[in-house]
Amino acid sequence: MPHDFMPGLAGVPAATSSISDVDGQRGVLEYRGIRVEELCAKSSYLETAYLLLFGHLPTPSELQRWTNDVTHHRRIKFRIIDLMKCLPEQGHPMDALQAAVAALGMFYPGRNVKDIENNYWSAVRLVAKLPTIVAAWARLRHGDAPISPRDDLGFSENFFYMLTESVAHPLWSEIFDDCLILHAEHTMNASTFTGLVTASTLADPYTVVASSIGALKGPLHGGANEEVVVMLKDIGTAGKARSYVEGSLSNKKKLMGFGHRVYKVKDPRATVLQGLCQSLFKECGSSPLYEVALEVERAAGELLKGKGIYPNVDFYSGIIYDKMGIEIDLFTPLFAMSRVSGWLAHWLEQLRENKLFRPDQIYSGEHNRPYVPIDRR
Ligand code: SDX
């Protein structure tokens, strides 16, 4: 029985899942039933990744093992570095990340996705190695040698170290870790759905994650965080925000960082990110981009009133990364190195009761057309 066609599968359930839930009317996001605000306040990215992947908060010994395993798998094969050295320096970091992750699968067993122990180690490697790949590319493209991970540093501390060869201020690592928690999972978003379709073919997890990275790159999805900061820098001052918003909307140009398929109120992650901005600014001074962003939000609130279009997760995140001196085109890779735990959680959940994704279509073409020889066309 054909179902009604829904553009973009809007509102169409593609799976049953217990990993996360979004209440778009009330602005609530829960990971395994725990509010994301509480995880930001009390958990860490690695502990949250464990919760997403395995369904419960780890016991002390489980967390110790998980942390040790991830910490000791941060290094990447020299051939992955050599592969990145062959890529064009001006290439986008998301393309470098996708290429490196797809290649990762060539070094590790992953084909037999029914092997639970193997799947654990694949999850460990992907959570552990994406930050190393992102940091390595960020340096290689400028002609600098990658910096090896340090096992004595925490997950976020180590990322900054691999990027800058210095240990970041503890507050920066804490704020960055909270950003990773906020980006880790979000029900059936486009990149998760992409990964699920790949997972349903029983492809290996490296290929699953590489396919999700491709979907995340788009400016309607994870790529928006980069576009927002470009927009804010383009606007320049808070005084020009309203005219920019008026111009965009009158030209039917979407405001980057606004709107959401599910949230019809302000994305709760945007509110937490604003709090993180304030904490960061207290330590190292404000960002002019933040004042511009506030004015954009104010103007959009008036001009889009009643349309259910509010800031989403991408609107304030880049202001934090920019203040920390991270290059703008690295923002979406930061999203990817967090969301990899959500993608893998859905991968594991899909495997438990797999069914190949193969939807239908409504055919709008012709039938029984004759072949016309080229000399009669
Ligand atoms: C993420 O799905 C997830 O959970 C994603 C994510 C996650 O954690 O995985 O939350 C992360 O991707 C957040 C979204 C980041 N993208 C952007 O910020 C890009 C700008 N946003 C829009 O492109 C849009 O809001 C989407 C893509 C996010 C959602 O769009 P929908 O649900 O497909 O809705 P639509 O494009 O059909 O818009 C409905 C109406 C339209 O107006 P009308 O033509 O009906 O008059 O709302 C308008 C749109 O023009 N609209 C906007 C707008 N977003 C929607 N108008 C101006 N600016 C916007 N940003």
Side-chain angles (χ1 to χ4, degrees):
M1 179 62 175
H3 295 271
D4 291 341
F5 169 55
M6 290 302 292
L9 295 179
V12 177
T16 303
S17 177
S18 60
I19 299 168
S20 67
D21 185 50
V22 169
D23 181 328
Q25 300 304 324
R26 294 172 45 234
V28 175
L29 169 58
E30 294 172 324
Y31 294 170
R32 299 286 186 188
I34 302 174
R35 293 283 290 259
V36 75
E37 295 87 344
E38 191 159 9
L39 289 167
C40 276
K42 300 173 182 169
S43 186
S44 68
Y45 173 70
L46 265 192
E47 182 180 73
T48 299
Y50 186 99
L51 169 70
L52 291 169
L53 284 160
F54 307 113
H56 63 275
L57 287 170
T59 61
S61 62
E62 287 170 334
L63 183 59
Q64 186 62 51
R65 180 195 169 199
W66 169 245
T67 303
N68 286 345
D69 289 344
V70 171
T71 301
H72 293 106
H73 281 81
R74 289 169 172 166
R75 286 157 189 76
I76 54 180
K77 300 281 186 188
F78 78 85
R79 285 194 171 83
I80 298 287
I81 303 281
D82 289 352
L83 176 143
M84 288 196 277
K85 284 179 180 171
C86 300
L87 301 176
E89 289 170 351
Q90 72 282 7
H92 196 284
M94 281 296 276
D95 295 328
L97 180 61
Q98 187 180 37
V101 170
L104 265 186
M106 301 167 84
F107 295 91
Y108 305 106
R111 303 258 177 260
N112 174 13
V113 294
K114 300 285 188 199
D115 179 331
I116 293 177
E117 183 68 8
N118 210 15
N119 288 349
Y120 171 80
W121 289 110
S122 297
V124 165
R125 287 192 195 99
L126 284 158
V127 170
K129 296 179 191 302
L130 259 69
T132 308
I133 292 169
V134 172
W137 173 255
R139 295 183 60 83
L140 283 167
R141 67 171 174 175
H142 294 311
D144 300 322
I147 295 165
S148 294
R150 271 181 47 181
D151 294 354
D152 61 320
L153 297 179
F155 189 90
S156 292
E157 260 185 318
N158 175 61
F159 176 70
F160 276 110
Y161 176 75
M162 292 188 298
L163 209 53
T164 64
E165 204 163 16
S166 60
V167 178
H169 186 291
L171 177 69
W172 284 32
S173 302
E174 191 187 316
I175 288 171
F176 187 77
D177 210 63
D178 285 345
C179 291
L180 295 179
I181 290 174
L182 290 168
H183 286 82
E185 160 65 12
H186 210 251
T187 72
M188 200 49 67
N189 58 86
S191 54
T192 294
F193 179 57
T194 302
L196 273 192
V197 173
T198 307
S200 76
T201 71
L202 299 187
D204 67 85
Y206 305 91
T207 305
V208 168
V209 170
S211 64
S212 293
I213 291 169
L216 185 71
K217 181 185 171 190
L220 293 190
H221 190 13
N225 61 9
E226 177 182 336
E227 300 291 333
V228 166
V229 171
V230 169
M231 172 182 76
L232 296 176
K233 288 181 184 251
D234 195 24
I235 294 171
T237 62
K240 294 177 182 162
R242 185 177 183 90
S243 57
Y244 181 93
V245 173
E246 284 168 344
S248 283
L249 298 182
S250 58
N251 291 320
K252 284 277 181 207
K253 196 165 159 274
K254 291 191 171 166
L255 277 179
M256 291 292 112
F258 278 79
H260 200 277
R261 176 65 57 81
V262 182
Y263 289 120
K264 298 311 163 193
V265 293
K266 187 168 178 177
D267 186 329
R269 299 169 294 177
T271 304
V272 177
L273 285 161
Q274 282 185 273
L276 294 175
C277 282
Q278 296 308 327
S279 305
L280 183 63
F281 299 160
K282 257 194 221 119
E283 194 270 328
C284 56
S286 184
S287 158
L289 298 179
Y290 189 72
E291 299 314 313
V292 179
L294 288 178
E295 273 313 303
V296 169
E297 180 175 359
R298 207 185 322 279
E302 289 164 23
L303 297 165
L304 291 166
K305 199 173 180 63
K307 293 195 88 175
I309 300 166
Y310 296 92
N312 59 48
V313 67
D314 290 313
F315 190 58
Y316 287 104
S317 55
I319 296 170
I320 293 171
Y321 303 146
D322 181 72
K323 189 70 188 173
M324 290 180 171
I326 298 173
E327 291 173 289
I328 294 179
D329 64 359
L330 294 177
F331 292 0
T332 310
L334 301 184
F335 196 146
M337 63 187 236
S338 162
R339 185 56 59 90
V340 65
S341 51
W343 293 332
L344 289 166
H346 284 274
W347 165 62
L348 291 173
E349 189 175 62
Q350 173 74 19
L351 288 179
R352 283 186 207 110
E353 214 174 316
N354 187 47
K355 176 87 175 159
L356 178 71
F357 275 94
R358 202 289 182 207
D360 198 352
Q361 64 166 18
I362 296 170
Y363 180 62
S364 60
E366 298 174 52
H367 291 286
N368 305 318
R369 291 173 62 191
Y371 179 81
V372 179
I374 191 154
D375 57 3
R376 285 173 36 206
R377 291 177 206 161

